[in-house]
Amino acid sequence: MEYLDIYDEERNFLGKEDRNIVHRDALWHNTVHCWLYDSEGNIYFQIRKEEEKLYTTASGHVLAGETIKEAFGREIYEEIGIKIDYEKAEFVNIYKFIMDKEKKDGTIFRDRAFSNVYVCIFNGEIANFNFDENEVLGLVKVNAIQTLEILKNEKGTIDGIVIKKDQESNTEINKKINFEDFLVNKGETALGKYGDVLNKVIELTNK
């Protein structure tokens, strides 16, 4: 069983509960959205396997008793296979995320999450990435300023670098990235979903 800390809607701690019950009963819990960026102002989006769209560098539930930054480090390691100094992660924002979705078996997956968004600098080697093949197809590195521009315009194309595993090593491939490549859920906008984190990276790399 995987246990999550649970809260009321005002983030008052209530205890812990099994993850399946959390999503059955729509209990509030913490998730972490993990972003890596480099000193040149680039940000890393993962290519989600299920949707084949660009999303956070890594993300997931914060486990019972775990700090947000500890969860940041764990999710980065589990999904893209690198260990980082997660204590250097910097806060961006917290969002309330609400979604009800019918699963294939007819049951309803009910999500009530406080999405904790953090960024952390990464200037390591792409050779060290080791993707969780069940969830992640690779990473895309794009310039934060250019990305913010096409999200504001809700159209356009920018240059990106796709990082994927090719047999035993990682390869970098230049590719045009379109506005439509970014994962956006129903009721969301791309700018609302990714704008704050892009602005944070721009702020940090233009000091």
Side-chain angles (χ1 to χ4, degrees), residues 1-190:
M1 285 188 183
E2 183 176 280
Y3 283 91
L4 309 179
D5 288 331
I6 58 171
Y7 304 83
D8 64 19
E9 196 169 350
E10 283 69 49
R11 296 199 83 196
N12 296 305
F13 178 68
L14 300 177
K16 68 178 182 179
E17 189 52 89
D18 175 71
R19 173 178 173 168
N20 293 324
I21 295 175
V22 167
H23 288 295
R24 184 195 71 187
D25 296 347
L27 303 177
W28 285 95
H29 60 284
N30 278 318
T31 61
V32 61
H33 288 193
C34 318
W35 293 91
L36 297 183
Y37 70 97
D38 65 26
S39 56
E40 296 178 350
N42 299 306
I43 188 168
Y44 292 85
F45 284 79
Q46 71 168 243
I47 309 170
R48 293 291 298 168
K49 182 175 182 179
E50 183 177 358
E51 299 90 352
E52 295 189 11
K53 295 278 189 177
L54 305 186
Y55 189 46
T56 57
T57 313
S59 59
H61 292 94
V62 179
L63 303 180
E66 192 174 40
T67 68
I68 304 298
K69 288 189 175 183
E70 286 170 345
F72 185 108
R74 178 180 52 77
E75 290 291 345
I76 287 286
Y77 182 70
E78 289 178 356
E79 294 191 13
I80 62 173
I82 60 169
K83 292 185 177 181
I84 61 167
D85 184 358
Y86 55 79
E87 291 297 345
K88 291 183 178 179
E90 298 196 45
F91 175 73
V92 177
N93 212 335
I94 301 174
Y95 303 95
K96 284 184 175 180
F97 180 79
I98 299 175
M99 181 182 70
D100 294 326
K101 182 170 67 174
E102 186 174 355
K103 296 162 63 175
K104 292 180 180 179
D105 63 4
T107 60
I108 304 299
F109 179 89
R110 306 174 70 196
D111 208 359
R112 301 293 185 274
F114 299 108
S115 300
N116 298 264
V117 183
Y118 281 74
V119 299
C120 191
I121 193 162
F122 172 77
N123 286 312
E125 299 294 328
I126 68 139
N128 295 329
F129 291 134
N130 184 23
F131 304 119
D132 177 357
E133 296 179 356
N134 294 318
E135 295 191 41
V136 184
L137 294 176
L139 291 176
V140 171
K141 182 171 73 171
V142 286
N143 177 269
I145 294 175
Q146 294 174 359
T147 303
L148 185 62
E149 191 65 23
I150 66 169
L151 297 194
K152 285 179 177 177
N153 294 331
E154 296 190 342
K155 63 180 180 180
T157 302
I158 58 175
D159 293 324
I161 297 175
V162 177
I163 304 164
K164 285 189 174 182
K165 187 173 183 179
D166 182 11
Q167 295 180 341
E168 296 302 319
S169 62
N170 292 329
T171 61
E172 293 182 84
I173 304 167
N174 294 322
K175 184 181 179 182
K176 296 293 184 180
I177 305 300
N178 302 312
F179 169 74
E180 294 79 12
D181 292 328
F182 295 89
L183 177 62
V184 182
N185 296 310
K186 185 178 180 180
E188 297 177 332
T189 66

